[in-house]
Amino acid sequence: MPFDPASLRYNAEGLVPAVAQDHLSGEVLMMAWMTREAVAKTIATGRVTYWSRSRQEFWIKGETSGHAQHLVEMRVDCDADCLLLQVRQEGPACHTGRRSCFYTAIRDGAEVEIMPPSA
C-alpha cells in the first residue's frame, strides 16, 4: 500500500519536523520543516524538499548550493508527528559550511564550537 503524506500529524501551521541523518554514519545533519506537499515531492523525486518558514516557499536541499540531500529512507515516528530522513548528503548540510547544523555544544555551562566549517 502506498504511503499517504496526509496520514502524518502536522502542527497548526501544516508542518511536520524532519531530522536529516547520514544514512551510513548515523550522524544527525540538520532539522527542518516539511509540509504535506514537501513530503510528497521528496518521495516522488528522491531529492529532499523542505518548507522555508521565513521565505514561505519550498526549497530543494542543494538546489542553489550544490549540497544536495538524496533520500535513502524516510521513517515516521510512533506518533506520526516527526520524520527521520536518512539521506546521502553531498557536501556540507549546514548553510554555515559545516557538515552538520549541530556544531555547538553546551559544556560545563559554556557554549563551545565543536566543528569548524569544511575547508
Side-chain angles (χ1 to χ4, degrees):
M1 170 169 39
F3 174 72
D4 181 1
S7 67
L8 295 172
R9 294 177 54 203
Y10 298 88
N11 68 14
E13 290 78 38
L15 302 171
V16 64
V19 176
Q21 177 185 46
D22 183 280
H23 78 105
L24 292 176
S25 70
E27 178 183 20
V28 175
L29 301 173
M30 59 177 282
M31 179 274 175
W33 297 93
M34 299 177 93
T35 61
R36 183 177 301 160
E37 189 176 348
V39 172
K41 286 175 183 261
T42 298
I43 292 169
T45 66
R47 291 284 308 273
V48 180
T49 302
Y50 296 108
W51 178 255
S52 171
R53 294 178 300 162
S54 60
R55 295 187 312 268
Q56 292 291 294
E57 65 184 17
F58 294 105
W59 56 282
I60 299 169
K61 182 67 175 164
E63 190 172 51
T64 57
S65 69
H67 302 145
Q69 286 181 350
H70 302 277
L71 184 66
V72 174
E73 184 171 82
M74 182 180 288
R75 296 184 182 182
V76 180
D77 82 332
C78 58
D79 293 322
D81 63 359
C82 187
L83 297 172
L84 176 64
L85 308 176
Q86 295 190 323
V87 301
R88 181 172 51 82
Q89 177 71 45
E90 294 179 11
C94 185
H95 74 280
T96 65
R98 291 170 173 86
R99 172 82 179 146
S100 170
C101 292
F102 297 94
Y103 62 87
T104 303
I106 309 303
R107 296 183 176 165
D108 297 322
E111 189 174 328
V112 180
E113 184 177 303
I114 58 172
M115 181 187 308
S118 301

